[in-house]
Amino acid sequence: MPLPIINSIASWVLKQRIHQIELFLKYPNEVQEELLTNLIRSSENTVIGKQYDFDSIKSYDTFQERVPVSSYEDLEPLIERTRKGEQHVFWNEPIKWFAKSSGTTNAKSKFIPVSNSALEDCHYKGSKDLLCLYLNNNENSQLFTGKSLRLGGSKQLYEDNNTFFGDLSAILIDNMPFWAEYSSTPSNKTSLMSEWETKLLAIVNETKIENVTSFAGVPSWMMVLLNKVLEETGNNNLFDVWPNLEVYFHGGVSFDPYREQYKKILPRQDFKYYEIYNASEGFFAIQDLNNSSDLLLMLDYGIFYEFIPMDTFGTSNQKAIRLAEVELQKNYAIVITTNAGLWRYLIGDTVRFTSLNPYRIRVTGRTKHHINVFGEELMVENTDMAIAKTCKLTNSEVIDYTVAPVFMNGKEKGSHEWIIEFRKQPENIEQFSQLLDENIQALNSDYEAKRYNNMTLNQLTINVARENLFYDWLKNQDKLGGQHKIPRLSNKRDYLEQLLLLQIK
């Protein structure tokens, strides 16, 4: 069948989903309430369902009072029982898949349960909806006349007690429908290679001869791959390699610090960027408009959402609220209840709502990755945007950075200490430092108040990282490639001290 016809059929099939999306756009709170009821009813006879007497829970208020908000450590004993073969512990379906995730803050691995419902009705549904929304906004798209270059995790699947664990991307690839594999590159074999540096070259060699029309992956690692493509092919921009490129689907870290770098290697004004928000625990939100930074919260993926205001998070006054109660431009920690048996699970991300009709969000950071040592409430969203603005003003480019507090010592005031690795260093690092400080103040009034006349905080300081410092740090942590990322902000100095030590080796 000719490729244009395949493209037309695929586009038509995917766009049929628009009518269902319109339903939860029209009745968002009702869809969420019904979903919670279904999740509770379906799990009445599980271990956790009997523990909290799901049979008698008839309202959200009762659910909230009876079932506690949980971290991974709280749920780990139940998850371990399932990993050893016991079923119907926290979900009514057999669970044999576990997404192994170690994150950036804890060396200990987490094993996130992935049910068949989560695979079909969340992860794969999210991937299809991403294409649906993109195609609905771009009627002339030729996406399916070529392939999508995907850059996922680097780990194989492992079997243990008749259950399987590995990177989420490995689980998705192993269960991938044939049409998805047909339209993707590199091959599954190459995608699942464990050793990042070998895998990188294999992807370049395999994909440079394909007709690639889209990319999908984390911006930091995708940039490494795309620069390698240009290096290996000797081209100046990616359209010389793949002339039919039209969109980059990205997620995992903020795109702001990398936007200008992508524009340089993708120098077409009509090239599109579409952001997604997903994790091992689920697929949560999708950019639903061209040229937007807001993500539509997807409400019918088997995930019930609650939110804890960050101004009370971790205090005795902490209280989760449902979607109908959220307010605009306020930072919230996300709590999810899922169709894989995660009950009132704190995933560690923070968001703020930019629209309530429909519900659109921006990811602002991590509950553990912010700095509030001096009452400055600094979020990753603030520093990412400030870095992007400062780089534009100074004609510089950043690869990665991390920030930690300098604690008060006697009469010495506190401050923030940065370590930044530049792809293109500014001519004047002192000027860069001053502009960065001013841009953060413009974005964050709490930081501005603490900086006023150096009242509490002195001006930030910057260490310029040596070449490949962050890469070497990740390599030492066995975190090259995939979804792994640098912890941007921390209330402690652990990451910064490790990097400074590695800097001089």
Side-chain angles (χ1 to χ4, degrees):
M1 190 181 294
L3 286 175
I5 296 176
I6 293 174
N7 186 74
S8 299
I9 293 171
S11 299
W12 181 84
V13 169
L14 285 163
K15 284 193 283 190
Q16 300 313 297
R17 163 73 174 145
I18 284 292
H19 304 297
Q20 293 171 301
I21 292 174
E22 288 170 348
L23 182 66
F24 77 68
L25 290 178
K26 191 173 183 180
Y27 304 105
N29 301 314
E30 292 84 351
V31 166
Q32 278 280 284
E33 294 291 330
E34 182 181 355
L35 193 153
L36 176 62
T37 299
N38 291 339
L39 290 171
I40 293 170
R41 296 284 77 82
S42 66
S43 297
E44 289 174 358
N45 294 319
T46 62
V47 170
I48 204 166
K50 291 174 181 175
Q51 179 183 348
Y52 296 114
D53 192 15
F54 279 7
D55 185 49
S56 67
I57 296 179
K58 308 298 181 187
S59 69
Y60 169 72
D61 290 339
T62 308
F63 174 72
Q64 185 188 47
E65 289 167 8
R66 196 174 295 174
V67 183
V69 172
S70 301
S71 65
Y72 180 80
E73 289 69 28
D74 297 324
L75 298 178
E76 187 176 24
L78 294 177
I79 290 172
E80 283 304 301
R81 285 169 64 174
T82 302
R83 286 193 66 219
K84 290 174 181 174
E86 186 179 351
Q87 295 295 346
H88 296 91
V89 177
F90 44 78
W91 186 239
N92 68 330
E93 302 173 11
I95 291 181
K96 65 175 182 176
W97 304 101
F98 294 86
K100 186 179 179 183
S101 169
S102 58
T104 50
T105 60
N106 191 340
K108 186 178 179 182
S109 294
K110 298 178 181 180
F111 294 89
I112 306 300
V114 181
S115 66
N116 286 332
S117 291
L119 274 175
E120 294 299 328
D121 299 333
C122 184
H123 292 291
Y124 288 137
K125 192 175 183 179
S127 298
K128 287 185 279 189
D129 281 355
L130 170 63
L131 298 174
C132 165
L133 290 164
Y134 172 74
L135 293 166
N136 192 60
N137 292 331
N138 299 280
E139 292 288 337
N140 297 321
S141 169
Q142 296 297 306
L143 204 62
F144 293 102
T145 60
K147 295 189 174 184
S148 175
L149 194 168
R150 64 184 181 207
L151 184 60
S154 308
K155 302 295 182 185
Q156 296 277 0
L157 289 174
Y158 301 93
E159 185 175 2
D160 187 26
N161 298 312
N162 293 316
T163 62
F164 299 85
F165 64 91
D167 276 10
L168 175 66
S169 56
I171 294 171
L172 296 177
I173 288 170
D174 199 63
N175 292 277
M176 188 180 288
F178 77 92
W179 59 266
E181 184 177 351
Y182 173 79
S183 62
S184 301
T185 187
S187 64
N188 287 357
K189 181 180 178 182
T190 300
S191 293
L192 291 172
M193 289 173 69
S194 294
E195 207 282 306
W196 165 253
E197 287 161 335
T198 306
K199 172 181 173 176
L200 184 66
L201 197 55
I203 293 176
V204 172
N205 290 331
E206 195 171 321
T207 59
K208 66 184 181 183
I209 57 173
E210 295 280 7
N211 175 26
V212 173
T213 53
S214 67
F215 305 136
V218 176
S220 50
W221 292 112
M222 183 62 78
M223 179 58 71
V224 173
L225 170 63
L226 297 180
N227 280 325
K228 190 69 174 174
V229 168
L230 292 177
E231 180 187 321
E232 292 293 319
T233 60
N235 292 113
N236 293 319
N237 72 68
L238 292 165
F239 298 118
D240 292 335
V241 186
W242 300 302
N244 298 315
L245 278 174
E246 58 177 85
V247 61
Y248 172 30
F249 301 113
H250 61 87
V253 298
S254 169
F255 193 56
D256 285 333
Y258 304 99
R259 191 178 303 277
E260 294 304 314
Q261 295 176 50
Y262 274 89
K263 285 182 179 178
K264 286 183 179 178
I265 59 175
L266 292 160
R268 279 186 194 162
Q269 289 197 339
D270 61 348
F271 186 81
K272 303 290 192 301
Y273 298 92
Y274 263 63
E275 186 174 353
I276 61 171
Y277 171 31
N278 67 338
S280 299
E281 294 86 353
F283 204 124
F284 309 124
I286 301 171
Q287 179 183 328
D288 64 317
L289 300 170
N290 286 341
N291 306 313
S292 174
S293 297
D294 300 337
L295 308 181
L296 180 68
L297 194 63
M298 306 304 285
L299 303 178
D300 63 349
Y301 286 1
I303 298 175
F304 178 76
Y305 292 98
E306 296 173 88
F307 303 89
I308 301 173
M310 281 302 289
D311 53 10
T312 61
F313 180 79
T315 71
S316 58
N317 296 323
Q318 172 181 304
K319 185 185 177 184
I321 59 174
R322 56 186 150 184
L323 186 63
E325 301 172 75
V326 299
E327 300 173 28
L328 286 174
Q329 307 302 343
K330 203 171 176 181
N331 274 310
Y332 294 99
I334 304 183
V335 177
I336 58 173
T337 293
T338 77
N339 52 4
L342 295 174
W343 296 93
R344 304 199 80 201
Y345 180 76
L346 197 61
I347 61 174
D349 290 337
T350 60
V351 300
R352 63 181 171 88
F353 283 83
T354 57
S355 166
L356 302 182
N357 183 24
Y359 288 105
R360 291 198 181 99
I361 61 171
R362 291 190 188 181
V363 182
T364 55
R366 301 277 296 167
T367 54
K368 293 182 180 179
H369 290 183
H370 66 283
I371 301 180
N372 193 31
V373 173
F374 311 103
E376 64 272 54
E377 287 287 358
L378 191 66
M379 306 293 290
V380 173
E381 182 187 36
N382 304 146
T383 54
D384 277 344
M385 289 180 70
I387 278 281
K389 287 183 177 181
T390 309
C391 283
K392 200 164 186 179
L393 288 168
T394 58
N395 192 28
S396 54
E397 296 175 4
V398 164
I399 293 174
D400 252 316
Y401 72 88
T402 196
V403 191
V406 176
F407 296 101
M408 293 179 178
N409 182 14
K411 293 182 179 180
E412 189 62 37
K413 294 170 184 172
S415 63
H416 290 173
E417 184 176 3
W418 291 59
I419 185 162
I420 304 176
E421 184 177 344
F422 291 95
R423 186 182 307 279
K424 183 181 179 184
Q425 196 167 317
E427 289 184 9
N428 187 324
I429 196 68
E430 285 74 24
Q431 181 198 30
F432 184 95
S433 176
Q434 184 177 339
L435 287 169
L436 180 59
D437 192 79
E438 290 170 359
N439 283 326
I440 296 171
Q441 290 186 54
L443 292 163
N444 184 313
S445 58
D446 291 317
Y447 181 83
E448 181 184 33
K450 300 300 179 291
R451 283 282 298 116
Y452 180 73
N453 287 337
N454 294 350
M455 189 178 297
T456 305
L457 287 175
N458 287 325
Q459 183 174 312
L460 62 85
T461 58
I462 295 175
N463 299 285
V464 177
R466 64 166 173 80
E467 188 177 0
N468 292 327
L469 177 67
F470 287 95
Y471 186 94
D472 292 343
W473 183 82
L474 286 168
K475 190 173 184 177
N476 288 348
Q477 308 281 327
D478 191 27
K479 291 178 181 290
L480 286 181
Q483 301 293 315
H484 298 304
K485 39 198 175 273
I486 298 294
R488 300 291 205 205
L489 308 180
S490 176
N491 277 323
K492 299 178 181 178
R493 290 183 58 84
D494 300 16
Y495 304 124
L496 186 77
E497 296 292 355
Q498 290 172 22
L499 286 157
L500 289 172
L501 190 63
L502 195 59
Q503 170 98 325
I504 58 176
K505 283 188 176 179

